[in-house]
Amino acid sequence: LSWLLSWLRHRHETIVRARVWRPSAPGFQFPETAADLETSQYLLGKSDFGIAVAGGGMRGLGLAHGAVRALRDAGVLQQARYLSATSGSVWFGQVLYYQTQDSLDQLLGR
């Protein structure tokens, strides 16, 4: 018990540092578009908006797949700088983010 109390006391005293970005500040630049990153030119060529998909369980996966497919067909997906997936849509997002075997068209289907 004394070990646990000592550990908790030490943990409580630990300094936590966080970086805060203020997009409303004059001259603000998003960190992922910094010139020293390989992706910066690609991202800077995209519009400054993102797409978010969410949903519960397997329905979220199906909904995200359908929504992203429709956005691709409408030409909106290609313009977005960001895509965020939460809840059940993560099942779709993970495959979209990390798969390297198929093209986007193969993954989404026609």
Side-chain angles (χ1 to χ4, degrees), residues 31-108:
E32 65 273 13
T33 61
D36 60 338
L37 296 176
E38 291 178 27
T39 57
S40 66
Q41 291 305 310
Y42 173 77
L43 289 173
L44 289 171
K46 301 283 187 176
S47 298
D48 195 16
F49 78 96
I51 298 167
V53 291
M58 296 307 287
R59 291 175 303 189
L61 183 152
L63 179 67
H65 183 264
V68 169
R69 187 175 175 178
L71 291 169
R72 185 255 343 245
D73 292 347
V76 175
L77 181 64
Q78 296 83 342
Q79 297 175 35
R81 189 178 290 181
Y82 307 101
L83 177 69
S84 174
T86 63
S87 192
S89 294
V90 169
W91 290 103
F92 171 75
Q94 292 299 315
V95 173
L96 185 65
Y97 295 153
Y98 295 110
Q99 73 85 24
T100 58
Q101 299 299 311
D102 302 317
S103 69
L104 182 61
D105 287 335
Q106 290 171 319
L107 179 66
L108 294 177

